Amino acid sequence: MSDILKQVEQEGNKRTIDNISRRIMKAGEELGELNEAFLSVTSPSNDKKHYWVDVIGEAVDVAIMGLDIALTPINGLTTEKQEKLVRSILVTKLQKWATQVEEGRSITVEKS
């Protein structure tokens, strides 16, 4: 999995703050496609003929776009410093996520 982050880092030669708004909108589009695939798969009619592999594929697209946006150099940071910052934040967020999973908070739905 770390190879994925490395590849997204390496593809960053066109990544600038000037085109970040377009990439954020693209991430929103990918999230919409993830929602559409999920709704289709979980619908009794599944009119759009999506499968769980489509949901997984769209989730990966969302993750890639998120990493691409996160790796955009901001505030005069060098590419190396930006990558180090993203890796640090990623470790912190993964630790938080792992704790929530262990406690059952991120994957369960409470019934009221």
Side-chain angles (χ1 to χ4, degrees):
M1 289 295 242
S2 64
D3 293 344
I4 296 166
L5 181 56
K6 186 171 237 28
Q7 185 171 354
V8 174
E9 288 170 344
Q10 290 172 349
E11 298 296 328
N13 59 347
K14 296 177 185 162
R15 186 181 296 126
T16 69
I17 197 69
D18 295 332
N19 64 18
I20 195 168
S21 61
R22 185 163 180 80
R23 289 180 291 116
I24 288 172
M25 287 185 272
K26 178 65 177 167
E29 177 189 352
E30 297 297 348
L31 183 57
E33 291 172 4
L34 172 59
N35 287 328
E36 178 184 300
F38 177 76
L39 287 172
S40 181
V41 165
T42 58
S43 168
S45 64
N46 194 359
D47 292 339
K48 297 198 176 187
K49 304 298 182 220
H50 283 104
Y51 302 95
W52 280 107
V53 69
D54 299 314
V55 174
I56 294 167
E58 296 302 341
V60 169
D61 285 344
V62 170
I64 291 170
M65 287 306 303
L67 287 172
D68 180 68
I69 292 163
L71 288 165
T72 301
I74 53 169
N75 298 328
L77 290 179
T78 64
T79 302
E80 294 79 22
K81 286 184 179 180
Q82 185 75 18
E83 289 171 5
K84 191 173 185 177
L85 174 64
V86 170
R87 285 179 180 275
S88 172
I89 292 170
L90 188 56
V91 167
T92 301
K93 296 286 187 175
L94 284 170
Q95 290 170 342
K96 180 180 177 183
W97 173 79
T99 300
Q100 290 175 343
V101 169
E102 286 175 15
E103 295 173 357
R105 290 188 287 144
S106 70
I107 57 173
T108 57
V109 177
E110 293 185 27
K111 296 184 180 191
S112 49

